[in-house]
């Protein structure tokens, strides 16, 4: 597969410009630890100066031990039980089981912690402290022990509110990276599921997991993803949206080229298709790439319900998609420029309703669309208990009052309300936002040129979509370019037993979901064997 190299233009500068002195931290990564505990403690206290949440806990054992950790990010009960108690009572003597007390004795016999690693630089010690670990420094040794005792507060696994489903799993990602990777590992219990760890952000030092299935993923796409992530130079990454903006192909396109989701089942299904997932610490939204146009129109239930029902729902969804984009524009074009296309009775009804309205059809439709978007945004920002009620009541009251006052006509209110309802049928929020945005230029073109403006706008949009790529994958595939086997999951959703091939553009060496000769085909009237 050929990957189109990404042009970074003005957003990516030379390496000298990227390494700005404003983003750099004191270079202590290569400073070796001393055998003198007092020297190491002084160096760490200077590093964490004015950091009130960093705890230095000296232990008067023989030899002396110093514990350094971040308050609120570790499990203090486990620390007291398996570290402090053992060191205070078993490590106070010069010898333990006949051997002198040392870092190795503490690691192998005194401290009962499953994950301990040895580091030898001050930078590794500070990284360990900031990553919710407990660091043990022993007097007389130039190495430190980094013990995994994470115990910070975290949100429980719950169903995502933004991606609810009638049928399917009810668990969703949280803000903890390892919980999110474990939810994927539970679904794909294979050593071929690879989870690579990457750190991004010169100040925030945010952990990122690059997830894929070896043998199924396309190596070309995987290498391109790695390359783009490694190019990121920023002080901090607070959410996966930071990563998305840096690695997407066409940032000025209204259409998203990277899918985001809170559902581990969607990520797992995408990995089995050959896609790559990016999971960022401190956010429940994972990124899935590459993304196509048709992915934005697929809902969770499409793959848990029977295929015949899913196919029907998809036709309804595609119809509503066209309504959400074109209905206000078509109404403005017909009522303004092409009245001869409207049935006579309907035209008389529209003319009667517009009697006394001071604005042209285009202006009143634009005003109502703008007001509807304002009510939707207000409903999202307001508290959950009153947000939906305010948006619904506000729409009813404002619409009715505007009609009675003669500011807008009743058909415009109906058209705008129908358009709003249709836009809610788009499963992906960011994909629906693209159509909400494009509705306004289409409305302007209809007000200026009528149906010719709508046709011109659609032509421009189609040309733009055909030119888009997501990590080398055509955005409109498998329709353009057409791949007949992959069309089983575009306009229709074929039965699962018939979709034995993975998407051609995503998958690597392993392109078969079901091995050759193993495709079951149900036969009418076939009875199970007794």
């Amino acid at each position: 597969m050929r990957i189109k190299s990404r042009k970074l233009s003005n957003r990516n500068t030379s390496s000298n410009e990227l390494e700005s002195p404003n983003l750099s931290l004191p270079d202590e990564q290569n400073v070796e630890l001393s055998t003198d505990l007092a020297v190491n403690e002084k160096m760490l206290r200077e590093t964490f100066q004015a950091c009130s949440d960093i705890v230095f806990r000296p232990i008067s054992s023989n030899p002396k031990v110093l514990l350094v950790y971040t308050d609120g990010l570790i499990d203090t009960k486990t620390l007291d039980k398996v570290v402090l108690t053992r060191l205070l009572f078993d490590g106070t003597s010069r010898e333990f089981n006949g051997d002198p007390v040392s870092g190795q004795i503490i690691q192998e016999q005194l401290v009962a912690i499953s994950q301990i690693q040895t580091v030898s630089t001050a930078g590794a010690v500070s990284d360990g402290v900031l990553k919710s670990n407990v660091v043990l420094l022993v007097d007389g040794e130039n190495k430190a022990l980094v013990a995994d005792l994470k115990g910070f507060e975290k949100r429980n696994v719950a169903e995502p509110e933004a991606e609810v489903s009638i049928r399917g799993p009810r668990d969703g990602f949280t803000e903890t990276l390892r919980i999110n990777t474990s939810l994927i590992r539970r679904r794909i219990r294979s050593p071929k599921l690879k989870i690579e760890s990457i750190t991004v952000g010169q100040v925030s030092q945010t952990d990122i997991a690059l997830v894929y299935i070896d043998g199924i993923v396309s190596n070309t796409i995987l290498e391109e993803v790695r390359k783009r992530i490694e190019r990121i130079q920023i002080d901090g990454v607070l959410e996966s949206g930071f990563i998305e903006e840096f690695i997407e192909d066409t940032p000025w396109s209204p259409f998203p080229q990277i899918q985001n989701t809170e559902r581990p089942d969607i990520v797992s299904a995408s990995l089995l298709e050959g896609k790559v997932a990016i999971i960022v610490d401190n956010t429940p939204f994972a990124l899935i790439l590459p993304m196509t146009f048709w992915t934005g129109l697929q809902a969770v239930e499409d793959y848990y319900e029977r295929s015949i029902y899913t196919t029907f729902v998809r036709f309804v969804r595609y119809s509503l998609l066209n309504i959400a984009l074109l209905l206000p524009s078509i109404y403005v074009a017909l009522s303004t420029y092409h009245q001869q296309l409207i049935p006579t009775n309907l035209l008389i009804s529209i003319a009667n309703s517009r009697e006394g309205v001071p604005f042209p059809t285009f202006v009143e439709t634009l005003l109502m669309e703008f007001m509807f978007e304002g009510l939707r945004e207000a409903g999202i920002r307001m508290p959950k208990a009153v947000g939906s009620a305010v948006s619904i009541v506000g729409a009813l009251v404002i619409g009715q009052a505007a009609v009675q006052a003669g500011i807008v006509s009743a058909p415009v209110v109906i058209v705008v309300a129908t358009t709003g309802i249709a836009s809610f049928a788009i499963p992906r929020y960011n994909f629906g936002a693209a159509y909400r945005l494009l509705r306004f230029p289409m409305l302007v073109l209809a007000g200026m040129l009528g149906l010719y403006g709508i046709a011109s706008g659609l032509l421009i949009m189609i040309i733009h979509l055909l030119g888009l790529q997501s990590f080398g994958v055509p955005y409109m595939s498998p329709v353009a370019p057409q791949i007949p086997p992959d069309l089983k999951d575009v306009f229709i959703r074929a039965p699962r037993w018939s979709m034995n091939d993975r998407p051609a553009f995503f998958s690597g060496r392993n392109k078969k979901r079901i091995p050759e000769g193993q495709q079951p085909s149900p036969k009418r009237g076939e009875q199970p064997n007794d």
Side-chain angles (χ1 to χ4, degrees):
M1 185 186 304
R2 177 177 174 268
I3 290 290
K4 180 181 178 182
S5 61
R6 184 185 178 204
K7 296 181 180 179
L8 299 178
S9 65
N10 295 330
R11 298 185 304 129
N12 283 358
T13 56
S14 64
S15 59
N16 294 332
E17 293 173 339
L18 290 175
E19 297 174 356
S20 172
N22 295 330
L23 301 179
S24 61
L25 294 175
D27 186 13
E28 60 177 17
Q29 299 297 322
N30 299 322
V31 178
E32 296 288 338
L33 294 176
S34 171
T35 56
D36 189 346
L37 183 61
V39 174
N40 294 333
E41 181 179 358
K42 179 181 178 182
M43 181 169 51
L44 291 175
R45 287 188 181 274
E46 290 178 355
T47 301
F48 294 110
Q49 185 178 6
C51 298
S52 60
D53 57 335
I54 305 299
V55 178
F56 291 82
R57 174 65 164 87
I59 298 177
S60 299
S61 58
N62 195 358
K64 296 181 179 179
V65 177
L66 175 66
L67 303 183
V68 186
Y69 58 89
T70 305
D71 188 20
L73 294 182
I74 63 141
D75 186 354
T76 55
K77 293 183 179 179
T78 305
L79 175 66
D80 296 341
K81 182 178 180 180
V82 304
V83 178
L84 291 178
T85 302
R86 298 300 303 276
L87 289 176
L88 289 173
F89 291 97
D90 296 332
T92 52
S93 61
R94 167 63 66 177
E95 296 184 350
F96 179 76
N97 294 338
D99 298 321
V101 176
S102 62
Q104 184 177 0
I105 293 295
I106 293 175
Q107 179 179 359
E108 296 179 356
Q109 301 183 45
L110 276 176
V111 178
I113 299 176
S114 59
Q115 298 183 26
I116 297 182
Q117 61 177 340
T118 303
V119 298
S120 59
T121 63
V125 170
S126 60
D127 288 344
V129 172
L130 295 173
K131 291 182 178 180
S132 310
N133 298 309
V134 177
V135 176
L136 294 86
L137 297 103
V138 183
D139 192 17
E141 297 196 14
N142 61 350
K143 294 184 178 180
L145 301 178
V146 180
D148 186 3
L149 282 175
K150 296 181 178 66
F152 47 83
E153 292 294 328
K154 48 185 176 291
R155 184 167 60 93
N156 294 329
V157 175
E159 182 179 7
E161 295 183 1
E163 294 180 89
V164 295
S165 65
I166 298 174
R167 180 177 179 178
R170 302 295 183 183
D171 55 346
F173 288 135
T174 68
E175 287 76 15
T176 307
L177 178 65
R178 282 300 163 221
I179 291 180
N180 296 342
T181 56
S182 68
L183 293 174
I184 299 175
R185 182 70 72 176
R186 284 179 56 193
R187 289 168 166 81
I188 305 177
R189 302 175 183 178
S190 170
K192 292 186 178 181
L193 175 65
K194 308 300 181 182
I195 303 176
E196 297 182 7
S197 181
I198 305 174
T199 301
V200 180
Q202 296 179 350
V203 178
S204 66
Q205 294 291 300
T206 305
D207 292 327
I208 294 176
L210 188 65
V211 188
Y212 58 92
I213 299 179
D214 189 24
I216 295 179
V217 68
S218 169
N219 291 329
T220 312
I221 294 177
L222 181 60
E223 288 303 320
E224 182 69 13
V225 174
R226 285 200 190 104
K227 187 189 305 180
R228 295 189 188 185
I229 294 179
E230 290 172 357
R231 281 203 301 249
I232 297 177
Q233 296 290 337
I234 191 174
D235 55 350
V237 175
L238 305 181
E239 213 272 339
S240 58
F242 286 55
I243 304 296
E244 180 179 359
E245 290 193 43
F246 271 96
I247 65 176
E248 62 183 350
D249 288 73
T250 310
W252 299 111
S253 173
F255 294 94
Q257 297 119 62
I258 298 176
Q259 179 183 353
N260 64 76
T261 181
E262 292 183 81
R263 299 186 64 95
D265 54 333
I266 293 180
V267 173
S268 302
S270 300
L271 294 176
L272 291 171
E273 289 184 343
K275 297 182 180 181
V276 181
I278 299 176
I279 302 177
V280 182
D281 197 15
N282 301 315
T283 176
F285 287 92
L287 304 179
I288 303 173
L289 44 95
M291 178 185 178
T292 65
F293 177 86
W294 314 105
T295 304
L297 298 174
Q298 295 170 353
V300 180
E301 292 89 354
D302 289 0
Y303 302 95
Y304 299 140
E305 296 288 351
R306 298 175 64 242
S307 62
I308 186 171
Y309 170 74
T310 300
T311 300
F312 167 73
V313 171
R314 281 192 177 180
F315 279 116
V316 174
R317 191 179 300 147
Y318 291 163
S319 301
L320 292 174
L321 178 73
N322 294 324
I323 291 175
L325 176 66
L326 300 175
L327 183 59
S329 305
I330 291 176
Y331 174 77
V332 170
L334 293 180
S335 60
T336 306
Y337 296 100
H338 312 282
Q339 295 92 345
Q340 68 275 12
L341 298 178
I342 305 177
T344 305
N345 293 335
L346 179 59
L347 181 61
I348 294 174
S349 177
I350 293 175
N352 291 334
S353 64
R354 282 194 46 78
E355 187 176 357
V357 176
F359 304 111
T361 305
F362 166 71
V363 175
E364 62 173 332
T365 306
L366 187 63
L367 289 175
M368 287 302 298
E369 282 287 351
F370 184 80
M371 184 58 64
F372 186 86
E373 292 297 328
L375 288 172
R376 175 188 290 191
E377 198 67 17
I380 295 175
R381 307 301 165 205
M382 294 187 68
K384 187 184 302 184
V386 297
S388 59
V390 168
S391 59
I392 294 173
V393 173
L396 293 174
V397 171
I398 292 177
Q400 183 66 23
V403 172
Q404 291 182 351
I407 299 176
V408 296
S409 59
V412 170
V413 176
I414 296 173
V415 167
V416 173
T418 304
T419 304
I421 294 173
S423 65
F424 287 120
I426 302 176
R428 307 287 171 197
Y429 177 80
N430 57 348
F431 197 79
Y435 275 84
R436 290 166 56 190
L437 178 63
L438 291 173
R439 189 188 306 155
F440 288 94
M442 293 294 292
L443 189 60
V444 172
L445 288 173
M448 294 174 58
L449 302 173
L451 292 179
Y452 298 104
I454 297 177
S456 302
L458 287 175
L459 183 61
I460 294 172
M461 188 178 74
I462 291 173
I463 293 174
H464 173 71
L465 288 172
L466 292 175
L468 279 182
Q469 286 192 349
S470 177
F471 292 83
V473 177
Y475 198 61
M476 295 300 291
S477 64
V479 175
Q482 189 175 105
I483 305 175
D486 292 352
L487 294 176
K488 296 178 181 179
D489 192 22
V490 177
F491 302 106
I492 65 171
R493 208 276 279 172
R496 190 166 297 279
W497 46 263
S498 68
M499 295 191 296
N500 56 329
D501 294 326
R502 306 183 200 277
F505 274 107
F506 304 147
S507 56
R509 299 186 306 273
N510 186 354
K511 296 184 179 298
K512 294 291 183 181
R513 285 192 178 102
I514 305 174
E516 289 291 345
Q518 301 295 323
Q519 295 87 356
S521 179
K523 298 179 181 179
R524 179 175 297 182
E526 183 176 324
Q527 297 296 327
N529 296 328
D530 294 333

